């Protein structure tokens, strides 16, 4: 019984994140709660000693449950979007609340509802929750490169739907300013500046090609990531990748490494280093002036 209580306690600590993920995926508070409850039931039927990272495991389960619900919704051609619903109010700390308000407005939910289920899952989990494409690939049954393309297509559709004179994109300039400040601090070896820009739990992920060039496969924590980038980025230039502020490292006028950023609550929550030639070729890159 004690073990059951401990498992329930661990689950409750993750519940706000799971509910936020499900709400962004489904646009319905009722269905979000159903998806989270299904994750709990599946956890109860699983030997938790075999689960290395409970939060990641539960996020994967919720993602798969939501994907099934979206596919079922499409087949039934239902529209359960809660147009009058507020985002989950129990989403924990102020940064989570700010992130929720920043990225889960009604307009975004309406646009998300037009995406294919796999596109919606890839965009929500990667762009809003910094889940890696390796993990997303498992959920959708495709390669990491294909998962990246799903998110890119979703991102372009969202930008096309919201880029109108009546709805100016004030988010992109803010993100570009943060990325530009990061590059400046990195070039100058400004540890204090980097730490100010990085979320305390920031994650740096590198694909296999980037890892062979000296990057760790995955690095977590603001201090470790700041130390890695301090004094670097000398050859990095600002860019838009799939329409989102990013950076690229050039070698002989060709893109050698691409750096994409996920910004939440005014700080960088995730950085992805891409060096695989096939993945680089699939990116839509526009260079920006320094």
């Amino acid at each position: 019984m004690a073990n059951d209580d401990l498992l329930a306690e661990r689950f409750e600590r993750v519940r706000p994140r799971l509910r936020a993920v499900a709400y962004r995926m489904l646009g319905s508070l009722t269905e979000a709660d159903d998806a989270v409850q299904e994750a709990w039931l599946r956890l109860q039927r699983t030997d938790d000693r075999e689960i290395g990272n409970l939060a990641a495991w539960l996020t994967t389960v919720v993602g798969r449950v939501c994907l099934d619900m979206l596919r079922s919704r499409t087949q039934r051609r239902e529209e359960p979007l809660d147009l009058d619903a507020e985002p989950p109010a129990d989403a924990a700390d102020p940064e989570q609340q700010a992130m929720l308000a920043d990225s889960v407005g009604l307009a975004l939910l309406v646009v998300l509802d037009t995406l294919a289920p796999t596109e919606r899952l890839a965009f929500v989990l990667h762009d809003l929750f910094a889940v890696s494409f390796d993990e997303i690939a498992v959920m959708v049954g495709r390669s990491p490169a294909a998962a990246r393309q799903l998110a890119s297509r979703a991102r372009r559709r969202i930008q096309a739907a919201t880029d109108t004179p009546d709805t100016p994109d004030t988010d992109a300039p803010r993100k570009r300013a943060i990325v530009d400040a990061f590059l400046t601090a990195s070039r100058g070896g400004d540890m204090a500046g980097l730490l100010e820009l990085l979320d305390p739990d920031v994650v740096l992920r590198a694909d296999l090609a980037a890892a062979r060039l000296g990057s760790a496969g995955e690095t977590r924590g603001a201090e470790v990531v700041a130390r890695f980038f301090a004094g670097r980025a000398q050859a990095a230039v600002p860019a838009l990748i799939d329409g989102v502020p990013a950076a690229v490292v050039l070698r002989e006028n060709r893109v050698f490494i691409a750096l994409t950023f996920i910004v939440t609550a005014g700080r960088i929550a995730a950085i992805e280093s891409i060096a695989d030639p096939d993945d680089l070729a699939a990116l839509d890159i526009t260079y920006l002036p320094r």
Side-chain angles (χ1 to χ4, degrees):
M1 187 65 172
N3 288 338
D4 291 342
D5 291 343
L6 178 60
L7 186 62
E9 182 180 333
R10 293 173 65 198
F11 179 84
E12 288 303 318
R13 287 200 294 266
V14 186
R15 181 189 288 273
R17 171 186 168 89
L18 300 177
R19 192 170 187 238
V21 168
Y23 178 68
R24 286 174 168 130
M25 284 290 299
L26 300 168
S28 164
L29 292 175
T30 301
E31 288 194 340
D33 287 336
D34 289 344
V36 173
Q37 181 63 20
E38 177 61 25
W40 166 243
L41 294 175
R42 294 188 186 186
L43 177 60
Q44 289 182 304
R45 297 193 296 265
T46 303
D47 185 354
D48 62 292
R49 292 172 298 182
E50 299 177 359
I51 301 174
N53 185 325
L54 183 64
W57 187 89
L58 286 168
T59 300
T60 298
V61 171
V62 166
R64 285 172 167 163
V65 171
C66 289
L67 186 59
D68 288 343
M69 294 171 75
L70 286 172
R71 284 170 170 163
S72 176
R73 177 191 302 175
T74 301
Q75 292 169 358
R76 297 193 307 267
R77 304 199 180 281
E78 294 181 358
E79 300 290 339
L81 183 66
D82 291 347
L83 295 177
D84 297 323
E86 294 293 329
D90 58 351
D93 58 49
E95 285 194 357
Q96 288 286 332
Q97 299 255 359
M99 182 175 67
L100 202 62
D102 184 44
S103 59
V104 191
L106 176 59
L108 178 59
L109 285 175
V110 170
V111 176
L112 285 175
D113 213 43
T114 67
L115 301 177
T118 50
E119 291 175 346
R120 184 164 179 163
L121 180 140
F123 173 80
V124 168
L125 290 183
H126 181 265
D127 285 43
L128 302 185
F129 287 93
V131 176
S132 73
F133 285 118
D134 287 340
E135 296 170 88
I136 294 171
V138 174
M139 298 182 210
V140 298
R142 303 190 187 185
S143 68
R148 184 189 304 280
Q149 285 303 302
L150 289 171
S152 295
R153 285 204 302 269
R155 201 176 298 121
R156 287 194 293 269
R157 291 184 183 185
I158 289 169
Q159 287 181 318
T162 57
D163 187 14
T164 68
D166 296 328
T167 55
D169 186 0
T170 58
D171 190 53
R174 179 175 64 86
K175 289 184 178 180
R176 182 181 172 186
I178 291 171
V179 172
D180 286 348
F182 174 84
L183 294 177
T184 299
S186 176
R187 295 188 193 105
D190 180 3
M191 279 290 293
L194 289 170
L195 290 172
E196 182 66 26
L197 292 164
L198 296 171
D199 183 271
D201 298 318
V202 63
V203 56
L204 167 63
R205 294 190 180 94
D207 64 15
L208 291 177
R212 285 195 291 268
L213 297 172
S215 297
E218 184 172 302
T219 303
R220 291 182 178 271
E223 189 168 341
V224 177
V225 174
R227 282 202 304 268
F228 176 83
F229 277 103
R232 293 180 181 248
Q234 303 299 328
V237 297
L240 295 177
I241 294 181
D242 295 325
V244 177
V248 294
V249 177
L250 301 177
R251 177 177 290 183
E252 297 178 353
N253 293 322
R254 298 182 63 181
V255 177
F256 182 56
I257 298 174
L259 297 172
T260 63
F261 300 82
I262 294 176
V263 176
T264 59
R267 287 191 169 186
I268 297 171
I271 305 171
E272 189 167 6
S273 178
I274 306 163
D276 182 270
D278 291 336
D279 283 349
L280 290 175
L283 299 177
D284 180 11
I285 300 175
T286 302
Y287 303 118
L288 298 173
R290 286 198 180 195

